[in-house]
Amino acid sequence: MASAGDLMVIRPKRLKLPLWLVLPGLLLRWGWRALWWCLRHPVTTASTAFLLAVYLDHGWQGLVTLLVLVGGVSAVWRWRHEASWWTWFAGPLLGWFRRLTVYRRVWREAMTLCGLAERYDHQTVLPRLLSVRSDPALDVLAVRMVRGQTPEDFQRVTSNLAYTFGRRHARVYSEYPDDRPTRSGRWAWLLRAVDAVRFRDRPSVVYLVLVRTDALRAVVPPFDVPAVPDFAALPLARRDDLSTWCLHLLATHVLVGGATRRGKGSVLWSLVRALGNGVASGLVRLWVIDPKGGMEFAMGRPMFARFACKSFEAMADLLDEAVTVMRERQARLAGSVRVHTPTVADPLVVVVIDEMAALTAYLQDVELRKRIAASLGLLLSQGAGVGVLVVAALQDPRKEVLPFRDLFPTRIALGLTEASQVDMVLGDGARNRGALADQMPRWAKGVGYVILDGSPEPARVRFSYIADDEIRAMAVRFPAPVDAADILAQVGRETAPEPTRPSLPRQRSSGPLLPDALLNLLRQDPDKDGGEQA
């Protein structure tokens, strides 16, 4: 008999099904799972079925013959066109193997320890590894996020993910990291249909890129100089997936930030080299400012239409004249075009400034510094559309040093000294998205991070190294035309001499520089004051 306070345990009645009804249900359930797996993995299913059919018809000899035949075709394919071999054969095959042997094996542990596992309905919910695609240097993991997660959740733990899987570098992309290729030829329609599936928009999927082999350790040799420079794609650097990174220079300004001896010269000279044939033909005018007295750019002097390296007054004059060119083009092109198209008669003017902080922060002449800042502000805010561009390099990207930092649409971050400087150069959140420019090793001169067009995620690149002998050869091979300095009523000189500043006469004061009230107090006779008080 139960009384008040007794604990009562109520168990629901268990429904027991007969064995003849349970077995068919389990078979149907397992069969549906197997069918669904086959539908989700058509390539693996078809390959397994084909190998099984060959084995049933021809035994082990048939499988060995097939393996030798596939190996021969693969070798010839790689020899003739390695890029497509990696895209369609080796990349998916290596990615499938690494997915099973490397990532799936530790996936639950990695997601849990990196803080990406979620709890729902008393169960652990993990991001799902959809596929792995490999190339000679990278593994690209397609990961379906848990509901409620965003790409920023993965970007915050990018470094954790890299070291979890035994790598040093990783990046997270919210969209597919590669650009959709341009197809042509007989089978272009089929390839475009495949690309439409591969590159489709998938908001619930993020792409984790792990650098398996650091292809940027080797020094990058100079690229071939284009016969006609493509201002929308100038080859300057190599990406860590072994592809070429090209700079979109048209209608933009470029800021290069990096500590001393980190390769800013590689960036600037790679750009000058890519523009070489344009300089020689008159399509491009290089106006160069080298506040270090010509230590960086004097070797390439014949390529420059204007060059100022010793006098800060001459540097200010050069910037003022660039503003004059900009104003003239604005008045001439207004109402006809929105973006200037470079021609020999109306060339592209590229103002290259090394160590920009020497002009904007460290110059002692206040009036001259204000004049330079005013010209730079006008060029950066209005010059891109009319073909007067600014390419500047500096070591310290703080606002006090470069107040108009945000006027540079294109930015490159080399090795930096502080973590906060990464976001100063590339924008807020760039370091969380994988731009670890403050952790560059000592060998990584010329290695930096850039923002790809149309994507907020940074890419890691290494710029080509241009040796001194190559610079001298470029100066001989690509000299600027004789009339290169005469674009718009330019002054005859190229570098102004250091102005002679007469010493200002100092007026000697007859007495100490003290207020009159204090002087009167000090001039009072103390004996007189004492007598009056007595």
Side-chain angles (χ1 to χ4, degrees):
M1 181 176 180
S3 60
D6 290 345
L7 179 63
M8 299 182 62
V9 179
I10 301 177
R11 294 188 178 93
K13 186 178 180 180
R14 299 180 61 181
L15 179 62
K16 295 183 179 181
L17 297 176
L19 185 61
W20 62 269
L21 189 59
V22 173
L23 289 178
L26 292 176
L27 292 177
L28 288 175
R29 181 180 179 183
W30 293 337
W32 167 249
R33 287 187 175 182
L35 178 61
W36 180 244
W37 188 93
C38 293
L39 293 176
R40 289 180 54 240
H41 303 83
V43 177
T44 303
T45 303
S47 302
T48 304
F50 178 72
L51 293 176
L52 182 60
V54 171
Y55 174 74
L56 293 177
D57 290 344
H58 305 283
W60 290 106
Q61 295 81 0
L63 290 178
V64 173
T65 303
L66 179 63
L67 181 62
V68 172
L69 181 63
V70 171
V73 172
S74 174
V76 174
W77 188 0
R78 182 179 184 182
W79 172 55
R80 298 296 296 176
H81 200 277
E82 186 174 1
S84 63
W85 179 78
W86 273 106
T87 302
W88 299 105
F89 181 73
L93 184 61
L94 179 60
W96 173 81
F97 177 77
R98 291 184 60 81
R99 181 191 180 204
L100 295 180
T101 59
V102 177
Y103 300 110
R104 284 291 296 272
R105 185 170 53 87
V106 296
W107 188 253
R108 174 177 290 274
E109 179 185 0
M111 293 297 102
T112 302
L113 296 180
C114 290
L116 296 173
E118 303 291 344
R119 294 286 297 177
Y120 174 73
D121 197 16
H122 305 290
Q123 294 183 352
T124 301
V125 184
L126 300 175
R128 183 177 177 185
L129 179 60
L130 299 179
S131 64
V132 178
R133 194 173 188 87
S134 301
D135 60 25
L138 307 177
D139 285 343
V140 182
L141 284 64
V143 182
R144 187 182 300 280
M145 297 179 290
V146 177
R147 293 186 184 274
Q149 287 183 338
T150 63
E152 286 75 14
D153 296 327
F154 285 77
Q155 291 167 354
R156 281 194 292 267
V157 294
T158 301
S159 299
N160 306 66
L161 290 170
Y163 284 92
T164 296
F165 293 114
R167 304 300 168 194
R168 293 190 180 275
H169 304 287
R171 287 182 301 280
V172 174
Y173 293 87
S174 57
E175 298 180 357
Y176 198 80
D178 294 333
D179 297 329
R180 180 178 297 191
T182 302
R183 303 297 187 182
S184 60
R186 180 181 302 178
W187 301 100
W189 63 272
L190 179 59
L191 295 177
R192 282 195 291 267
V194 174
D195 291 338
V197 177
R198 290 178 56 205
F199 296 91
R200 67 186 184 276
D201 185 23
R202 306 171 73 182
S204 61
V205 176
V206 294
Y207 299 91
L208 174 63
V209 178
L210 295 165
V211 180
R212 189 177 68 254
T213 302
D214 196 349
L216 303 184
R217 277 189 169 271
V219 176
V220 179
F223 294 93
D224 295 334
V225 181
V228 178
D230 182 1
F231 301 116
L234 296 172
L236 300 188
R238 177 182 295 163
R239 295 176 56 177
D240 49 13
D241 60 356
L242 300 179
S243 63
T244 301
W245 178 75
C246 297
L247 172 66
H248 186 109
L249 182 63
L250 193 64
T252 189
H253 304 293
V254 183
L255 176 64
V256 183
T260 181
R261 310 300 300 172
R262 284 298 184 174
K264 294 188 295 295
S266 296
V267 181
L268 299 179
W269 279 115
S270 296
L271 174 61
V272 171
R273 178 180 175 83
L275 296 173
N277 277 314
V279 170
S281 64
L283 191 64
V284 181
R285 299 285 195 265
L286 293 177
W287 293 13
V288 178
I289 296 177
D290 188 355
K292 294 186 294 187
M295 292 299 296
E296 182 65 40
F297 283 101
M299 290 184 183
R301 175 66 188 87
M303 300 182 66
F304 309 145
R306 301 291 307 282
F307 183 60
C309 66
K310 296 180 180 179
S311 170
F312 286 101
E313 185 177 351
M315 300 175 194
D317 291 343
L318 188 151
L319 294 173
D320 289 343
E321 291 156 9
V323 173
T324 304
V325 174
M326 180 190 72
R327 293 297 192 199
E328 186 274 339
R329 288 184 177 179
Q330 286 176 337
R332 177 163 45 88
L333 301 177
S336 58
V337 296
R338 293 193 299 171
V339 178
H340 169 263
T341 301
T343 62
V344 175
D346 203 12
L348 182 72
V349 178
V350 183
V351 182
V352 182
I353 306 174
D354 189 26
E355 295 300 340
M356 194 173 186
L359 305 179
T360 60
Y362 307 143
L363 182 59
Q364 295 181 354
D365 191 327
V366 178
E367 296 299 326
L368 199 57
R369 188 168 70 241
K370 290 181 179 179
R371 179 182 162 195
I372 291 174
S375 298
L376 283 173
L378 290 173
L379 291 175
L380 292 173
S381 60
Q382 304 177 27
V386 294
V388 182
L389 312 179
V390 177
V391 179
L394 80 166
Q395 298 183 28
D396 190 350
R398 291 177 300 169
K399 277 286 188 181
E400 304 85 59
V401 176
L402 187 62
F404 25 75
R405 183 183 65 210
D406 295 334
L407 296 179
F408 287 91
T410 302
R411 306 181 193 181
I412 300 170
L414 301 175
L416 296 168
T417 57
E418 300 177 7
S420 59
Q421 293 180 349
V422 180
D423 291 347
M424 293 180 189
V425 177
L426 297 179
D428 292 339
R431 192 179 186 279
N432 289 335
R433 294 192 294 269
L436 303 179
D438 59 305
Q439 298 182 7
M440 288 288 187
R442 288 177 295 177
W443 58 264
K445 295 181 180 180
V447 178
Y449 291 89
V450 297
I451 300 296
L452 300 177
D453 293 336
S455 175
E457 288 83 7
R460 185 167 172 263
V461 301
R462 183 165 190 170
F463 291 87
S464 60
Y465 174 68
I466 312 296
D468 293 350
D469 293 339
E470 182 63 30
I471 293 175
R472 297 187 184 96
M474 287 165 43
V476 175
R477 182 182 175 189
F478 307 113
V482 177
D483 59 344
D486 188 16
I487 294 181
L488 179 68
Q490 305 294 348
V491 294
R493 62 173 172 78
E494 296 176 359
T495 303
E498 192 67 24
T500 303
R501 303 181 185 275
S503 58
L504 297 177
R506 295 184 177 180
Q507 297 180 357
R508 296 185 177 274
S509 176
S510 57
L513 300 178
L514 296 175
D516 294 340
L518 184 57
L519 283 175
N520 295 334
L521 182 62
L522 294 176
R523 287 172 181 172
Q524 291 180 358
D525 189 356
D527 296 336
K528 180 179 178 181
D529 295 342
E532 293 177 354
Q533 293 176 0

